[in-house]
Amino acid sequence: MTELHDRPFPRGMLIAVASLIVFTILAVAVARLTGFDPSQAPVSPEVAVRDLSFVEVGQGDLAVYDAESGVLLETLPPGEDGFIRGVLRTLERERRMHSVALDGPYRLSLRENGRFTLEDQTTDFFIDLRAFGPTNEAAVGRFLSASPPVQ
């Protein structure tokens, strides 16, 4: 029985690996030279928008307001909607990095392609919520058409 390291490496495999390396280097070079940046891909136009304000109240409740009218849309109890709280932490971190006030509204948009985005217009940072799966996208997307709670 021969050991694995005693066998010669197949020449075809060497050619395939070398070809892959050369292709990768060429693709990166072309992307750099042409200025291609996948993070700046065109965003689908908005078909519906709502500016939202999120305010922590009480013992960890998160109040969600329509920023334009000031109407309370929903109050999220502590320990619930962890995804929304996580997204807000990300957006707040961006605001801190840009030295922008933390209390401004965020824009929730439904895009022509059916995706929801949450955008901070003060930092130009936005999150495509589809990337986090349909359940998390719907958790934030529901505020686009939410009505104020009945008193």
Side-chain angles (χ1 to χ4, degrees):
M1 186 164 143
T2 62
E3 302 254 347
L4 183 61
H5 64 276
D6 289 340
R7 289 188 231 158
F9 204 68
R11 182 179 175 164
M13 183 67 83
L14 287 174
I15 292 171
V17 169
S19 298
L20 181 62
I21 291 170
V22 168
F23 172 77
T24 302
I25 291 170
L26 286 174
V28 170
V30 168
R32 296 259 179 170
L33 292 173
T34 62
F36 176 73
D37 184 359
S39 67
Q40 299 299 320
V43 178
S44 180
E46 299 169 329
V47 294
V49 298
R50 183 179 234 174
D51 290 338
L52 302 172
S53 292
F54 298 88
V55 179
E56 194 162 327
V57 294
Q59 299 294 319
D61 289 344
L62 186 63
V64 183
Y65 292 93
D66 179 299
E68 186 176 322
S69 67
V71 172
L72 175 68
L73 300 175
E74 190 173 339
T75 301
L76 309 174
E80 291 187 22
D81 290 295
F83 173 72
I84 293 171
R85 293 170 192 272
V87 167
L88 290 175
R89 280 191 296 275
T90 300
L91 292 167
E92 287 174 359
R93 184 179 64 240
E94 282 294 315
R95 285 185 172 180
R96 282 187 188 92
M97 287 180 5
H98 286 87
S99 301
V100 177
L102 299 178
D103 59 351
Y106 300 102
R107 173 155 292 172
L108 175 62
S109 302
L110 174 60
R111 302 288 174 167
E112 196 173 73
N113 62 5
R115 294 176 176 240
F116 286 96
T117 58
L118 193 58
E119 170 181 14
D120 183 353
Q121 295 183 309
T122 61
T123 63
D124 290 329
F125 184 80
F126 78 95
I127 298 173
D128 182 347
L129 298 169
R130 175 80 45 95
F132 300 98
T135 303
N136 289 326
E137 182 181 34
V140 180
R142 73 180 190 248
F143 297 120
L144 190 60
S145 61
S147 300
V150 176
Q151 302 284 327

